[in-house]
Amino acid sequence: MSWLIPRNELTSEQLRAIGLSTTEHRVVFGAPGSGKTQILLHRTRYLCDINNGPSAKFHIFVFNNVLKSYIKSALDLLNLPEKCVSTLDAWCANFYRKHIGGRMPWNAEGKCPDFTAIRKAVLDKVDSGNPRMLLYDFVMVDEGQDLDSTSFEILSRISKHITVCIDHKQKIYEKGLDENGILTKLGLRRRNMTLLDAFRCCPYIVHLGSRFIENDEDRDAYIRQSRTEQSERETPVLYFAVDFDDEKQRLIELVKTRLAKNEKIAVIVPQNRQVYGFAQGLIAAGLDVEWSGTYDFNSPKPKVLTYHSAKGLTFDTVIIPRLVVKSFARFSEAEIKQLLFVAITRAQKWVALISNRKTGLPQLAKLEPLVKKGFVTVQERSSSASEHRPSKDKDNEDSDLMDLL
């Protein structure tokens, strides 16, 4: 079953966003679960239909290749071609080869193309054109908060109309523009629409993710946006492993349990090298998982990804292991909170966090109020290796979390 919801099942608010006029550029703000990617694809189909159908010139820009694969998995349902989706950097590299030529700038330290220099060269080229180099009737941008200033300058020159979906709470790339920067680049005074009817995340997950939003006003607004009823009493779990072997074993158990429920599962880890390690551990346990290259999002196989790769995706269950200090050594306090928010809010139904008593992230202490309310269940390995138990009482649960500080 595709993740794309039929248009006739969308909310009235989402339908209004799809039908926004193209008299000016559009910026649509929405928290996780508000349906930004759903809107982006259905709006693409809508704008194609009102812009001469098959002859319409358009493109969908995303930030990473995993989100590109995710979106491509639903294009057939809207009769949209695969070639209409790419990352902006891939598009710029192709433009460079076609219109600029010569040796592409290279980042020797990163051992990859110098995309900053490539974007600058592309902008110079489109600026030098007379008349203006209009390539598209419209372009769509998902996760716009992660694109930089040069990217928006390029987009504003190559397309008559731009629709951007953003959520500043999910900005996890340093060079990405904030909302005011995006509005300025697009010549707008304010966002055109804020999506309030978040339908994806259940309330437990909304409250869990909210603990990692630093700004009090943003946190309260995010919680208020949840309109989904809590259909099950299955609370998110914070599991304290005694060691790494215990962590791996618990992960395997959780994946097997959720697969038995026919759920779409993501295992989200902080570092690229951990993707391989955890995937191999799951495969050795007899589980068929996807972990590299092009993910098949129409497949029920569990996906193993990094936080950055998981942006914009949706799963029934998200399991987040390796919540230990060492795994986040290169990230600042603010970055860790944003990464945790992004990972948690990929889930629709259930989340499991796996940490360690001695080396766990201190940020997990923020979950203490939810433990007291019964919104999060703390678990650990019992004396019997085959059993898991919740903490016996609230005092023990709280001390588990405070030990992380």
Side-chain angles (χ1 to χ4, degrees), residues 143 145-147 167-179 311 334-335 338-339 341-342:
E143 302 292 334
Q145 72 277 353
D146 288 320
L147 297 183
D167 178 11
H168 63 271
K169 297 188 296 300
Q170 298 186 65
K171 179 177 175 290
I172 59 176
Y173 291 93
E174 182 181 353
K175 294 182 180 179
L177 282 183
D178 60 19
E179 183 177 348
K311 274 177 60 64
E335 288 172 332
Q338 287 177 306
L339 288 170
F341 176 79
V342 167

Side-chain angles (χ1 to χ4, degrees), residues 184-348:
T184 298
K185 290 297 180 184
L186 298 182
L188 299 172
R189 289 181 294 178
R190 54 187 172 86
R191 66 178 72 153
N192 303 105
M193 191 167 184
T194 300
L195 300 170
L196 297 177
D197 290 325
F199 67 87
R200 187 179 73 197
C201 299
C202 77
Y204 283 147
I205 294 172
V206 170
H207 282 279
L208 183 62
S210 75
R211 299 305 301 165
F212 301 103
I213 299 175
E214 194 65 30
N215 182 279
D216 291 341
E217 184 177 338
D218 284 345
R219 184 188 309 117
D220 291 342
Y222 173 60
I223 292 173
R224 288 196 303 271
Q225 286 173 7
S226 176
R227 302 291 195 272
T228 305
E229 293 185 4
Q230 187 69 50
S231 59
E232 300 182 22
R233 295 300 298 171
E234 188 176 23
T235 60
V237 163
L238 171 57
Y239 181 78
F240 285 108
V242 296
D243 54 29
F244 186 57
D245 286 339
D246 183 21
E247 179 175 351
K248 289 191 295 183
Q249 182 59 36
R250 185 56 172 149
L251 173 63
I252 292 166
E253 293 166 354
L254 290 173
V255 172
K256 288 181 177 179
T257 299
R258 307 317 289 193
L259 278 174
K261 295 176 179 284
N262 294 316
E263 293 183 349
K264 292 187 176 181
I265 304 163
V267 177
I268 303 180
V269 296
Q271 302 176 25
N272 281 317
R273 63 179 178 82
Q274 293 169 330
V275 170
Y276 174 81
F278 275 100
Q280 295 307 305
L282 292 168
I283 292 169
L287 294 163
D288 192 4
V289 301
E290 294 180 352
W291 60 274
S292 181
T294 302
Y295 294 89
D296 180 2
F297 289 100
N298 290 319
S299 162
K301 296 178 183 178
K303 313 292 188 278
V304 186
L305 322 98
T306 64
Y307 290 73
H308 291 79
S309 296
K311 274 177 60 64
L313 309 184
T314 302
F315 301 91
D316 296 316
T317 281
V318 167
I319 305 171
I320 310 174
R322 287 285 79 195
L323 292 175
V324 295
V325 171
K326 185 177 180 180
S327 290
F328 292 83
R330 68 185 180 92
F331 298 111
S332 68
E333 169 81 8
E335 288 172 332
I336 291 172
K337 292 175 183 176
Q338 287 177 306
L339 288 170
L340 291 174
F341 176 79
V342 167
I344 289 166
T345 55
R346 300 309 92 206
Q348 288 182 296

Side-chain angles (χ1 to χ4, degrees), residues 91-100 122 125-126 133:
W91 184 93
C92 285
N94 288 333
F95 183 96
Y96 190 100
R97 285 189 287 264
K98 183 176 180 179
H99 297 283
I100 300 172
V122 170
K125 180 65 176 180
V126 297
M133 189 180 285

Side-chain angles (χ1 to χ4, degrees), residues 52-65:
N52 302 320
S55 64
K57 297 178 181 179
F58 66 96
H59 203 78
I60 300 172
F61 289 102
V62 297
F63 195 84
N64 62 50
N65 287 316

Side-chain angles (χ1 to χ4, degrees), residues 107-174:
N107 181 340
E109 182 179 351
K111 298 180 181 180
C112 64
D114 186 342
F115 288 110
T116 299
I118 292 169
R119 288 193 295 270
K120 179 62 169 60
V122 170
L123 178 59
D124 290 343
K125 180 65 176 180
V126 297
D127 266 345
S128 67
N130 189 15
R132 181 182 171 193
M133 189 180 285
L134 278 174
L135 302 177
Y136 301 110
D137 296 314
F138 64 92
V139 297
M140 314 296 289
V141 182
D142 204 7
E143 302 292 334
Q145 72 277 353
D146 288 320
L147 297 183
D148 64 6
S149 175
T150 303
S151 299
F152 279 101
E153 290 183 34
I154 292 170
L155 294 174
S156 65
R157 286 159 174 76
I158 64 173
S159 182
K160 297 176 184 176
H161 172 77
I162 304 169
T163 295
V164 184
C165 291
I166 66 168
D167 178 11
H168 63 271
K169 297 188 296 300
Q170 298 186 65
K171 179 177 175 290
I172 59 176
Y173 291 93
E174 182 181 353

Side-chain angles (χ1 to χ4, degrees), residues 63-104:
F63 195 84
N64 62 50
N65 287 316
V66 177
L67 184 54
K68 179 184 72 174
S69 296
Y70 184 71
I71 288 177
K72 281 187 173 183
S73 70
L75 292 179
D76 284 348
L77 298 175
L78 297 175
N79 195 26
L80 296 171
E82 282 198 6
K83 66 179 182 180
C84 75
V85 184
S86 73
T87 66
L88 184 75
D89 280 338
W91 184 93
C92 285
N94 288 333
F95 183 96
Y96 190 100
R97 285 189 287 264
K98 183 176 180 179
H99 297 283
I100 300 172
R103 187 174 182 179
M104 193 171 295

